[in-house]
Amino acid sequence: MTTTFTNARLIDPEMDTDALGSLTIEDGVISGVNAGEDGTVIDCGGKCLAPGIVDIGVKIGEPGERHKESFRSAGLAAAAGGVTTMVIRPDTTPAVDTPETLAFVARRASQVAPVNVHSMAALTKGRAGREMVEMGFMLDAGAVAFTDCDHVVTDNKVYSRAMTYARSLGALIIGHPQDPNMSKGAAVTSGKFASLRGLPAVSPMAERMGLERDLALVEMTGVAYHVDNLSTAHALPALERAKAAGLDVTAGVNIHHLTLNELDVGDYRTFFKVKPPLRSEDDRLAMADAVATGLIDIISSMHTPQDEESKRLPFEEAASGAVALETLLPAAMRLVHAGLIDLPTLWRAVSLNPARRFGLPGGELTQGAPADLVLFDPDAPFVLDRFKLNSKSKNTPFDGTRMEGRVLGTWVGGERVFGGDDA
Amino acid sequence: MTFRQRHLLGIEQLHPEEIKTVLDLADSYVDLNRSAQKRSDALAGLTQINMFFENSTRTQASFEIAGKRLGADVMNMAMQASSIKKGETLIDTALTLNAMHPDLLVVRHPHSGAVNLLAEKVNCAVLNAGDGKHEHPTQALLDALTIRREKGRLHRLTVAICGDIAHSRVARSNLILLGKMENRVRLIGPPTLMPSQIDQFGVEVYDDMEEGLKDADVVMMLRLQRERMDGGFIPSEREYYHRFGLDAEKLAHAKPDAIVMHPGPMNRGVEIDGTIADDINRSVIQEQVEMGVAVRMAAMDLLARNLRADRAAKPEGVYV
């Protein structure tokens, strides 16, 4: 089956271009760019057509918390958000730390999710930081990276051995840098706002401490390492040095730290409680700038579904995290509309770079690339209603917020998984 | 007279005129409390529930007496021993109580912001009797009333707040109130017990008692919690007393007529020398307790007036 998208603003992150043109897909792959009209024609009306988003920060409640999010609900949310590939986190209950759990996850994903799903595995058993998982088996079973997520491996000997072992397998390790003692019990970032609200706080310096430690171990072991969830300006010089020194290091930031700051918590609004906590406006701008310059490679959603019960608690006791699969694109468009980054740069961060770093197809508009595409109107305004989200959990910080940028259609392997024929 | 609040959740929400309104009314309740009769019917027919999720003897007693003197039906709920232990959430507890139609809820909770959360879910007036490290508005109001009666004014005074500022809701409410009333506020204590970026609140920060107390009109001491003395925040109790305990020598740097305050309960020999606490010429600690009842009567009276006005404006008892 052949389809041609005409009159489309093609966002090509690889060529760094944003220009009107047409794109033809055939049998699930891109068969031509500006190669004339062939097959079914979809007139895009000058809207943007880009490679589908590859989101590397998705938490799904399976196994363990299916009432918060299932593969089906997350898959629908992804499709509605223009996400064609979800790389899912292993911080489930139990953690994805055996090949058997990984097989379960892969089976569930293939049965019900309309988008591509790849799974990360825990780095240590039970994410407890003591014994490494069976990395070889897990790689064979399809694990694309290893991470204990927000559980920091505190024992440097355990961590360095896991890294050394991972290097021998060519496996990627993801770190969420944080000094766990500094951040113990913290709900917000220390500073004027935290003091006013009387909330337990962590110094932004705790992130840099965690990162410096991880980078020393990376230098020691030579492992491929992606630091995710960076959020503070203090951590950036260390990252810059590591990259300049030629370490195999990439970095990521999540969408909330690019679009919100600590003051958004306001009157103890728990939907703004995320981990790490929201930072200062200066930090937010530093993160956006780092994305623009390429120092930070990847933007993810850190999609973390939480039910109402776990959020309707005093701020200190409330669960952390926010859903973001469906709001990633309009939230990221804020950065574009604010003139901080352009669309090809944004698409490198949400599509091309994550695909390359994780060794996945996607992120490209070239012949032979999978027909994983998103068609969106970058300017369409709307007010977000959290109850209209596809996620089972509705914990978005953007409820009632005016946003710009709407997904009109999503294609995975050439199949339309979201949007009608109105595009 | 201005007082527009539906709840008393913190000093942060109050306009200076509203603070004045509370204090003026409290003055009249001081007179009432000193009279033989000691009764009013300002809260007659209203139900006041005291929900203390954290231990308290003094504050709870003060609210209870205040309510009873105004003719309210007062009920104390020992929340620590109740359904919270059975896993019920704060919201469910609030909704359960709300169904019993209380008019005034007095709430203390160990977590900052918990009282705000509760106030969103009930349709009666909520008074914050202390939430975590956030606010303790009636304490700041009673301190303000004490200062105003002792000093004859509540502006252009130099007030030194000393001790564990970081963990103190009393300090937060006080520094906000004193700032709103245009006083000069100094915070004195070891840097480990100071909240971060507290200097951005329009206060002066000192880690030396003698410098900080210089020419102060009011010296407000804070309680140092026992659990902070284990070497985590300060090296030891005796070093703390030596550097930050209020004794005659340090107090001599304040103005000769400076008053000494303490929200209680005191650790004599830790943050304050016993002889200073008992010095009737300097210490107003007992007056603070007396003003506490009057201020709480005034606050509940004003909230009840707004509640009644609200209900009168909306028939059928719908007053969300």
Side-chain angles (χ1 to χ4, degrees):
Chain A
M1 204 184 106
T2 308
T3 307
T4 303
F5 298 88
T6 59
N7 194 20
R9 236 177 104 182
L10 298 176
I11 310 298
D12 188 336
E14 200 181 11
M15 306 305 292
D16 198 18
T17 54
D18 173 357
L20 271 184
S22 71
L23 185 114
T24 308
I25 60 174
E26 192 177 345
D27 297 331
V29 295
I30 295 170
S31 55
V33 181
N34 294 327
E37 289 182 19
D38 197 6
T40 316
V41 171
I42 296 178
D43 183 351
C44 299
K47 306 301 185 209
C48 297
L49 186 67
I53 295 170
V54 178
D55 185 356
I56 65 158
V58 182
K59 162 86 180 272
I60 290 175
E62 295 189 51
E65 293 175 303
R66 205 159 127 189
H67 63 290
K68 293 186 177 178
E69 191 83 287
S70 67
F71 276 102
R72 179 167 178 77
S73 60
L76 293 173
V83 175
T84 52
T85 298
M86 296 192 285
V87 177
I88 60 173
R89 280 155 41 197
D91 52 345
T92 44
T93 319
V96 181
D97 61 356
T98 61
E100 291 76 17
T101 328
L102 190 61
F104 163 79
V105 165
R107 180 168 52 79
R108 284 286 303 153
S110 65
Q111 281 169 351
V112 294
V115 301
N116 306 311
V117 179
H118 298 276
S119 183
M120 295 187 275
L123 181 66
T124 65
K125 289 174 188 164
R127 298 197 296 138
R130 285 191 290 275
E131 306 159 62
M132 67 179 94
V133 298
E134 293 169 314
M135 282 190 222
F137 284 154
M138 302 283 272
L139 280 173
D140 292 345
V144 293
F146 294 86
T147 177
D148 278 354
C149 295
D150 61 339
H151 286 192
V152 174
V153 181
T154 51
D155 187 324
N156 291 335
K157 209 148 209 171
V158 170
Y159 203 12
S160 66
R161 283 178 183 148
M163 284 184 171
T164 304
Y165 196 85
R167 192 207 55 201
S168 74
L169 296 170
L172 176 66
I173 283 185
I174 318 279
H176 292 211
Q178 188 67 222
D179 184 288
N181 290 318
M182 294 284 283
S183 60
K184 199 173 172 187
V188 289
T189 304
S190 64
K192 188 179 175 186
F193 180 77
S195 293
L196 183 66
R197 287 285 178 266
L199 289 169
V202 57
S203 165
M205 211 54 102
E207 181 170 286
R208 174 173 147 194
M209 292 177 196
L211 179 61
E212 299 263 24
R213 191 274 310 242
D214 282 15
L215 292 175
L217 289 168
V218 171
E219 188 176 333
M220 187 174 121
T221 60
V223 75
Y225 174 82
H226 174 75
V227 47
D228 208 359
N229 260 350
L230 270 190
S231 57
T232 62
H234 286 302
L236 294 176
L239 174 65
E240 206 162 6
R241 281 197 303 277
K243 283 191 163 187
L247 301 185
D248 188 358
V249 169
T250 50
V253 59
N254 77 63
I255 190 63
H256 299 118
H257 288 107
L258 284 172
T259 49
L260 304 169
N261 69 36
E262 57 185 348
L263 301 180
D264 286 308
V265 169
D267 204 6
Y268 301 101
R269 295 192 288 172
T270 57
F271 280 12
F272 291 82
K273 183 175 182 183
V274 292
K275 197 172 180 182
L278 293 174
R279 308 298 193 181
S280 70
E281 178 64 2
D282 287 346
D283 282 325
R284 184 187 78 84
L285 291 171
M287 291 301 113
D289 184 58
V291 172
T293 61
L295 178 60
I296 287 180
D297 306 88
I298 295 172
I299 300 172
S300 77
S301 68
M302 264 301 130
H303 179 82
T304 306
Q306 298 288 5
D307 56 11
E308 302 287 300
E309 277 62 45
S310 53
K311 284 287 187 182
R312 285 203 317 174
L313 291 169
F315 198 86
E316 284 169 55
E317 290 187 311
S320 298
V323 292
L325 274 168
E326 281 167 272
T327 48
L328 175 59
L329 187 146
M333 285 310 298
R334 285 185 172 184
L335 303 172
V336 176
H337 291 304
L340 297 172
I341 53 176
D342 58 23
L343 276 171
T345 305
L346 175 61
W347 245 260
R348 275 195 291 282
V350 297
S351 184
L352 179 66
N353 291 344
R356 290 206 169 150
R357 186 53 163 163
F358 283 73
L360 303 171
E364 296 171 9
L365 284 188
T366 47
Q367 203 173 347
D372 293 350
L373 300 166
V374 54
L375 176 67
F376 65 99
D377 181 341
D379 305 312
F382 67 101
V383 176
L384 188 93
D385 174 357
R386 70 187 182 107
F387 294 105
K388 291 194 175 145
L389 295 175
N390 286 283
S391 286
K392 278 194 185 178
S393 296
K394 313 294 181 190
N395 55 307
T396 171
F398 295 114
D399 186 39
T401 302
R402 289 159 198 271
M403 305 187 98
E404 285 176 85
R406 253 204 140 128
V407 176
L408 303 171
T410 307
W411 288 260
V412 175
E415 293 280 327
R416 188 161 197 168
V417 294
F418 176 77
D421 296 316
D422 52 334
Chain B
M1 201 201 75
T2 324
F3 192 80
R4 296 215 173 89
Q5 307 291 320
R6 213 182 130 212
H7 307 294
L8 181 61
L9 299 178
I11 298 297
E12 198 190 347
Q13 294 88 344
L14 298 184
H15 189 273
E17 280 301 316
E18 293 180 308
I19 293 169
K20 266 193 71 196
T21 301
V22 178
L23 300 186
D24 291 347
L25 184 60
D27 264 330
S28 72
Y29 281 124
V30 174
D31 297 338
L32 179 79
N33 287 336
R34 286 177 181 176
S35 72
Q37 183 59 24
K38 286 195 280 203
R39 299 288 297 179
S40 141
D41 57 1
L43 300 184
L46 299 184
T47 305
Q48 171 192 342
I49 301 182
N50 296 334
M51 297 169 76
F52 280 65
F53 294 89
E54 202 179 68
N55 277 329
S56 160
T57 315
R58 309 157 64 97
T59 308
Q60 186 171 335
S62 183
F63 268 108
E64 185 176 352
I65 290 173
K68 285 183 170 161
R69 289 208 175 137
L70 295 179
D73 298 313
V74 186
M75 187 186 128
N76 287 316
M77 290 196 60
M79 301 312 298
Q80 293 210 306
S82 79
S83 48
I84 293 294
K85 287 254 162 75
K86 299 176 194 160
E88 189 175 61
T89 67
L90 177 64
I91 301 286
D92 285 335
T93 307
L95 293 178
T96 304
L97 279 178
N98 194 49
M100 300 179 196
H101 297 290
D103 304 290
L104 294 156
L105 271 184
V106 178
V107 187
R108 171 171 286 189
H109 197 280
H111 289 129
S112 303
V115 183
N116 303 47
L117 177 67
L118 194 143
E120 286 171 18
K121 309 290 175 188
V122 296
N123 44 13
C124 62
V126 176
L127 284 97
N128 181 359
D131 64 322
K133 298 179 285 177
H134 179 220
E135 284 233 47
H136 191 353
T138 55
Q139 178 71 42
L141 288 164
L142 76 88
D143 288 339
L145 183 63
T146 309
I147 294 170
R148 197 172 81 166
R149 290 172 69 100
E150 288 291 328
K151 291 285 157 197
R153 66 177 198 272
L154 190 58
H155 58 272
R156 295 190 175 225
L157 293 167
T158 301
V159 183
I161 307 177
C162 318
D164 183 1
I165 314 285
H167 301 95
S168 175
R169 54 195 173 214
V170 176
R172 274 180 188 73
S173 286
N174 260 313
L175 73 88
I176 297 170
L177 187 149
L178 292 165
K180 284 191 185 205
M181 306 312 282
E182 298 182 6
N183 295 282
R184 188 168 174 184
V185 179
R186 296 179 183 165
L187 304 178
I188 315 173
T192 46
L193 295 177
M194 283 291 167
S196 65
Q197 298 187 352
I198 194 70
D199 51 317
Q200 294 184 18
F201 285 78
V203 296
E204 300 159 44
V205 181
Y206 294 87
D207 58 11
D208 181 289
M209 279 288 268
E210 298 186 354
E211 274 178 51
L213 289 180
K214 194 169 183 306
D215 297 326
D217 297 290
V218 177
V219 181
M220 214 178 256
M221 302 306 297
L222 298 173
R223 175 181 168 77
L224 184 69
Q225 305 282 346
R226 289 267 158 196
E227 60 265 27
R228 318 268 185 240
M229 300 177 203
D230 61 1
F233 290 89
I234 52 166
S236 71
E237 193 177 311
R238 62 182 190 177
E239 179 161 326
Y240 184 81
Y241 181 62
H242 175 72
R243 295 191 61 208
F244 298 100
L246 187 67
D247 54 19
E249 204 182 313
K250 296 191 190 95
L251 184 57
H253 291 82
K255 281 193 185 154
D257 62 346
I259 56 169
V260 174
M261 307 176 73
H262 194 297
M266 278 182 281
N267 293 308
R268 289 168 186 259
V270 178
E271 69 258 358
I272 190 163
D273 185 292
T275 52
I276 301 278
D278 297 331
D279 182 349
I280 52 164
N281 294 316
R282 310 302 292 271
S283 164
V284 295
I285 295 169
Q286 296 308 313
E287 282 82 345
Q288 286 175 271
V289 179
E290 185 190 357
M291 296 308 125
V293 177
V295 150
R296 286 166 184 133
M297 289 166 81
M300 289 197 289
D301 184 358
L302 290 165
L303 289 174
R305 289 182 205 182
N306 289 353
L307 186 72
R308 285 182 163 137
D310 251 18
R311 289 178 182 177
K314 288 169 196 156
E316 296 164 38
V318 181
Y319 51 92
V320 180

